[in-house]
Amino acid sequence: MKSLIIYCSSYKNNTEKIARVFSEKMDSELINIKDITDVNIISYNLIGFGSGVYKESLSPKLFELAEKLDLKNKNVFVFSTSGIGMTFYNKKLIKLLMAKGAVNIGSFACKGNFIAREFSNNKLFDYIGRLSQGHPNDRDFKYAERFIERVLDSLEKNSKNK
């Protein structure tokens, strides 16, 4: 199975660290969105889209690229890193991918290290920032490995049932 991971990781490279875990586990190609304007996805069976969370959303560049791609019947998954590490940030991109005809196989999120004072003076962000220090860590990487193993198992079962 040929797979591709497209990611945006521009702050502390938290998302790139997770993308590399997925890439090694799947033996996939890995592309930082800053290095491309368009990509040919015809030969890929599985495509991962990942981003850090910037101003409460995934990277606009990832949405722009997804809009351009023909994703009909493509297996996809979405992943993100943020101060709180919750998958709800992935929902908007998943919705777009599915509207383009993609088959969503999964959604993954984990905490990513950030320094709150670089974004806000709000005490809540300072607290969240302190909790995110050291992430992604070994536990996050193991969680990422288990996630991608489930994705691959799901694809294998689906291909056997066809």
Side-chain angles (χ1 to χ4, degrees), residues 98-113:
M98 291 177 68
K100 303 267 307 168
V103 178
N104 181 43
I105 303 297
S107 178
F108 174 86
C110 72
K111 286 183 183 179
N113 177 26

PDB file of all heavy atoms in Angstrom, residues 98-113:
ATOM      1  N   MET A  98     -14.361  14.801   3.452  1.00  0.00           N
ATOM      2  CA  MET A  98     -15.493  13.930   3.143  1.00  0.00           C
ATOM      3  C   MET A  98     -16.400  14.562   2.084  1.00  0.00           C
ATOM      4  O   MET A  98     -16.920  13.864   1.216  1.00  0.00           O
ATOM      5  CB  MET A  98     -16.260  13.592   4.416  1.00  0.00           C
ATOM      6  CG  MET A  98     -15.447  12.677   5.339  1.00  0.00           C
ATOM      7  SD  MET A  98     -16.246  12.305   6.900  1.00  0.00           S
ATOM      8  CE  MET A  98     -17.602  11.307   6.347  1.00  0.00           C
ATOM      9  N   ALA A  99     -16.554  15.876   2.124  1.00  0.00           N
ATOM     10  CA  ALA A  99     -17.341  16.566   1.096  1.00  0.00           C
ATOM     11  C   ALA A  99     -16.686  16.417  -0.274  1.00  0.00           C
ATOM     12  O   ALA A  99     -17.374  16.441  -1.300  1.00  0.00           O
ATOM     13  CB  ALA A  99     -17.498  18.041   1.453  1.00  0.00           C
ATOM     14  N   LYS A 100     -15.376  16.219  -0.301  1.00  0.00           N
ATOM     15  CA  LYS A 100     -14.646  16.016  -1.549  1.00  0.00           C
ATOM     16  C   LYS A 100     -14.645  14.540  -1.966  1.00  0.00           C
ATOM     17  O   LYS A 100     -13.977  14.166  -2.917  1.00  0.00           O
ATOM     18  CB  LYS A 100     -13.206  16.515  -1.400  1.00  0.00           C
ATOM     19  CG  LYS A 100     -13.057  17.958  -0.983  1.00  0.00           C
ATOM     20  CD  LYS A 100     -12.911  18.930  -2.094  1.00  0.00           C
ATOM     21  CE  LYS A 100     -11.812  18.561  -3.023  1.00  0.00           C
ATOM     22  NZ  LYS A 100     -11.799  19.293  -4.244  1.00  0.00           N
ATOM     23  N   GLY A 101     -15.357  13.691  -1.214  1.00  0.00           N
ATOM     24  CA  GLY A 101     -15.484  12.283  -1.577  1.00  0.00           C
ATOM     25  C   GLY A 101     -14.511  11.346  -0.892  1.00  0.00           C
ATOM     26  O   GLY A 101     -14.482  10.153  -1.186  1.00  0.00           O
ATOM     27  N   ALA A 102     -13.697  11.857   0.030  1.00  0.00           N
ATOM     28  CA  ALA A 102     -12.731  11.014   0.732  1.00  0.00           C
ATOM     29  C   ALA A 102     -13.433  10.127   1.758  1.00  0.00           C
ATOM     30  O   ALA A 102     -14.523  10.435   2.227  1.00  0.00           O
ATOM     31  CB  ALA A 102     -11.686  11.887   1.425  1.00  0.00           C
ATOM     32  N   VAL A 103     -12.757   9.041   2.112  1.00  0.00           N
ATOM     33  CA  VAL A 103     -13.234   8.123   3.146  1.00  0.00           C
ATOM     34  C   VAL A 103     -12.362   8.344   4.375  1.00  0.00           C
ATOM     35  O   VAL A 103     -11.163   8.056   4.358  1.00  0.00           O
ATOM     36  CB  VAL A 103     -13.115   6.653   2.667  1.00  0.00           C
ATOM     37  CG1 VAL A 103     -13.573   5.701   3.766  1.00  0.00           C
ATOM     38  CG2 VAL A 103     -13.890   6.444   1.386  1.00  0.00           C
ATOM     39  N   ASN A 104     -12.975   8.880   5.430  1.00  0.00           N
ATOM     40  CA  ASN A 104     -12.217   9.162   6.647  1.00  0.00           C
ATOM     41  C   ASN A 104     -11.982   7.875   7.434  1.00  0.00           C
ATOM     42  O   ASN A 104     -12.919   7.187   7.815  1.00  0.00           O
ATOM     43  CB  ASN A 104     -12.956  10.181   7.517  1.00  0.00           C
ATOM     44  CG  ASN A 104     -12.182  10.506   8.778  1.00  0.00           C
ATOM     45  OD1 ASN A 104     -10.979  10.684   8.730  1.00  0.00           O
ATOM     46  ND2 ASN A 104     -12.877  10.567   9.891  1.00  0.00           N
ATOM     47  N   ILE A 105     -10.713   7.563   7.683  1.00  0.00           N
ATOM     48  CA  ILE A 105     -10.335   6.340   8.379  1.00  0.00           C
ATOM     49  C   ILE A 105     -10.045   6.612   9.856  1.00  0.00           C
ATOM     50  O   ILE A 105     -10.079   5.707  10.671  1.00  0.00           O
ATOM     51  CB  ILE A 105      -9.088   5.697   7.718  1.00  0.00           C
ATOM     52  CG1 ILE A 105      -9.345   5.422   6.247  1.00  0.00           C
ATOM     53  CG2 ILE A 105      -8.663   4.424   8.411  1.00  0.00           C
ATOM     54  CD1 ILE A 105     -10.450   4.424   5.986  1.00  0.00           C
ATOM     55  N   GLY A 106      -9.763   7.873  10.211  1.00  0.00           N
ATOM     56  CA  GLY A 106      -9.478   8.153  11.613  1.00  0.00           C
ATOM     57  C   GLY A 106      -9.055   9.577  11.872  1.00  0.00           C
ATOM     58  O   GLY A 106      -8.778  10.358  10.954  1.00  0.00           O
ATOM     59  N   SER A 107      -9.013   9.905  13.163  1.00  0.00           N
ATOM     60  CA  SER A 107      -8.633  11.240  13.621  1.00  0.00           C
ATOM     61  C   SER A 107      -7.781  11.080  14.876  1.00  0.00           C
ATOM     62  O   SER A 107      -8.132  10.323  15.783  1.00  0.00           O
ATOM     63  CB  SER A 107      -9.908  12.043  13.924  1.00  0.00           C
ATOM     64  OG  SER A 107      -9.608  13.322  14.407  1.00  0.00           O
ATOM     65  N   PHE A 108      -6.668  11.787  14.909  1.00  0.00           N
ATOM     66  CA  PHE A 108      -5.717  11.678  16.010  1.00  0.00           C
ATOM     67  C   PHE A 108      -5.323  13.075  16.479  1.00  0.00           C
ATOM     68  O   PHE A 108      -5.161  13.991  15.664  1.00  0.00           O
ATOM     69  CB  PHE A 108      -4.457  10.931  15.551  1.00  0.00           C
ATOM     70  CG  PHE A 108      -3.370  10.890  16.588  1.00  0.00           C
ATOM     71  CD1 PHE A 108      -3.362   9.893  17.554  1.00  0.00           C
ATOM     72  CD2 PHE A 108      -2.377  11.856  16.616  1.00  0.00           C
ATOM     73  CE1 PHE A 108      -2.367   9.862  18.523  1.00  0.00           C
ATOM     74  CE2 PHE A 108      -1.379  11.823  17.583  1.00  0.00           C
ATOM     75  CZ  PHE A 108      -1.382  10.820  18.542  1.00  0.00           C
ATOM     76  N   ALA A 109      -5.144  13.229  17.778  1.00  0.00           N
ATOM     77  CA  ALA A 109      -4.637  14.487  18.328  1.00  0.00           C
ATOM     78  C   ALA A 109      -3.834  14.203  19.583  1.00  0.00           C
ATOM     79  O   ALA A 109      -4.121  13.251  20.316  1.00  0.00           O
ATOM     80  CB  ALA A 109      -5.786  15.437  18.648  1.00  0.00           C
ATOM     81  N   CYS A 110      -2.837  15.020  19.809  1.00  0.00           N
ATOM     82  CA  CYS A 110      -2.097  14.963  21.066  1.00  0.00           C
ATOM     83  C   CYS A 110      -1.610  16.367  21.407  1.00  0.00           C
ATOM     84  O   CYS A 110      -1.661  17.276  20.578  1.00  0.00           O
ATOM     85  CB  CYS A 110      -0.936  13.972  21.000  1.00  0.00           C
ATOM     86  SG  CYS A 110       0.458  14.494  19.993  1.00  0.00           S
ATOM     87  N   LYS A 111      -1.149  16.505  22.632  1.00  0.00           N
ATOM     88  CA  LYS A 111      -0.632  17.799  23.058  1.00  0.00           C
ATOM     89  C   LYS A 111       0.669  18.103  22.329  1.00  0.00           C
ATOM     90  O   LYS A 111       1.431  17.208  21.984  1.00  0.00           O
ATOM     91  CB  LYS A 111      -0.351  17.803  24.560  1.00  0.00           C
ATOM     92  CG  LYS A 111      -1.584  17.857  25.409  1.00  0.00           C
ATOM     93  CD  LYS A 111      -1.211  17.930  26.873  1.00  0.00           C
ATOM     94  CE  LYS A 111      -2.455  17.904  27.720  1.00  0.00           C
ATOM     95  NZ  LYS A 111      -2.129  17.953  29.148  1.00  0.00           N
ATOM     96  N   GLY A 112       0.882  19.398  22.140  1.00  0.00           N
ATOM     97  CA  GLY A 112       2.136  19.887  21.596  1.00  0.00           C
ATOM     98  C   GLY A 112       2.617  21.043  22.463  1.00  0.00           C
ATOM     99  O   GLY A 112       1.822  21.865  22.925  1.00  0.00           O
ATOM    100  N   ASN A 113       3.878  21.087  22.691  1.00  0.00           N
ATOM    101  CA  ASN A 113       4.502  22.107  23.521  1.00  0.00           C
ATOM    102  C   ASN A 113       4.275  23.506  22.943  1.00  0.00           C
ATOM    103  O   ASN A 113       4.437  23.722  21.753  1.00  0.00           O
ATOM    104  CB  ASN A 113       5.998  21.787  23.583  1.00  0.00           C
ATOM    105  CG  ASN A 113       6.799  22.798  24.344  1.00  0.00           C
ATOM    106  OD1 ASN A 113       6.312  23.482  25.217  1.00  0.00           O
ATOM    107  ND2 ASN A 113       8.073  22.876  23.996  1.00  0.00           N
TER     108      ASN A 113
END
